[in-house]
Amino acid sequence: MKALMRRITTITGCIVLTACASGFQQFYKPFVDARTIPGVQLLGNGETPKVYSSNDLQRDIRVAKSKGYWPIGASSFNGQLESEQAVINQAKAVGAVLVLVNSKFAESRTITTPLFLPNNQTTYNSGYINGTYGSANYYGTSTTYGTTVVPLTTTQQRYDQSAVFFVKMTRKLRAGIYLVDLSPEIRAKLERNVGAMIDVVVEDTPAFVANVLPGDILIEINVSDQ
């Protein structure tokens, strides 16, 4: 019985270790290979990325962009709550200096896994033989091989988890703005089809100094060679 319990404990440990494989690595989708982008700062050897929890990723992505960070990839998955170290490990793998993480409780899930364990029965035989040429004691064994199915039931707390990975821009931006297309609602309100909306203004850039604000509508731009 003790041997059986040790066997169950060992298999349970293997299942837990398998479930703990990093979702941030498995479900990572790159936007771009950061090592091919000129003018950005990657995470150096021995450095640790900054990891921040976010309850509004879209808002905080804009804030990060305004501070001069560039998103290079993201992970999104549902599973057991991952550790901060798993986020750090993935950031180091892609060279990210900053990570925004969001997690929301989704559900409790009960999982039953059948474990097939060996159940071998060994019978010991002994007796006394009295034959024509004499008598003798005899001993022997016979083994019947079988399998026992043991249900292993676990309860998992599952979370919807997302992370966005950033590098730091080091080159000086010419304008310092991120644009998005005008929505149909804004086009109808402004009664125009051309233009773009300012989504993000990067700090300490010409647009920032000129008091351009997110939400402003860009109609035209005067490009100067100076």
Side-chain angles (χ1 to χ4, degrees), residues 58-123:
Q58 295 306 313
R59 176 200 65 199
D60 292 335
I61 288 172
R62 292 187 181 94
V63 172
K65 286 181 175 180
S66 73
K67 302 293 184 182
Y69 292 93
W70 182 271
I72 59 171
S75 303
S76 182
F77 59 96
N78 174 277
Q80 291 180 295
L81 188 62
E82 296 276 5
S83 66
E84 182 175 317
Q85 188 59 50
V87 181
I88 292 174
N89 290 343
Q90 180 60 19
K92 289 181 177 180
V94 299
V97 299
L98 172 70
V99 189
L100 296 177
V101 181
N102 175 271
S103 61
K104 295 180 181 179
F105 175 76
E107 62 178 337
S108 295
R109 183 180 300 180
T110 300
I111 300 175
T112 300
T113 305
L115 300 181
F116 297 90
L117 304 178
N119 183 19
N120 302 333
Q121 304 292 331
T122 301
T123 303

Side-chain angles (χ1 to χ4, degrees), residues 149-167:
V149 179
V150 178
L152 176 64
T153 301
T154 59
T155 300
Q156 293 182 354
Q157 305 293 318
R158 301 182 69 86
Y159 294 77
D160 294 326
Q161 301 169 74
S162 301
V164 183
F165 300 80
F166 298 82
V167 292

Side-chain angles (χ1 to χ4, degrees), residues 133-212:
Y133 300 100
S135 59
N137 294 324
Y138 73 89
Y139 302 91
T141 62
S142 60
T143 302
T144 301
Y145 297 93
T147 302
T148 299
V149 179
V150 178
L152 176 64
T153 301
T154 59
T155 300
Q156 293 182 354
Q157 305 293 318
R158 301 182 69 86
Y159 294 77
D160 294 326
Q161 301 169 74
S162 301
V164 183
F165 300 80
F166 298 82
V167 292
K168 179 71 172 180
M169 293 185 293
T170 58
R171 69 181 185 275
K172 186 176 180 180
L173 299 179
R174 189 169 186 178
I177 56 176
Y178 291 86
L179 303 174
V180 294
D181 293 335
L182 297 180
S183 67
E185 294 77 13
I186 293 178
R187 289 180 181 180
K189 182 179 179 180
L190 298 179
E191 298 182 349
R192 62 179 306 117
N193 290 320
V194 296
M197 186 173 72
I198 308 296
D199 187 43
V200 175
V201 180
V202 182
E203 295 180 1
D204 300 324
T205 62
F208 182 84
V209 174
N211 291 321
V212 175

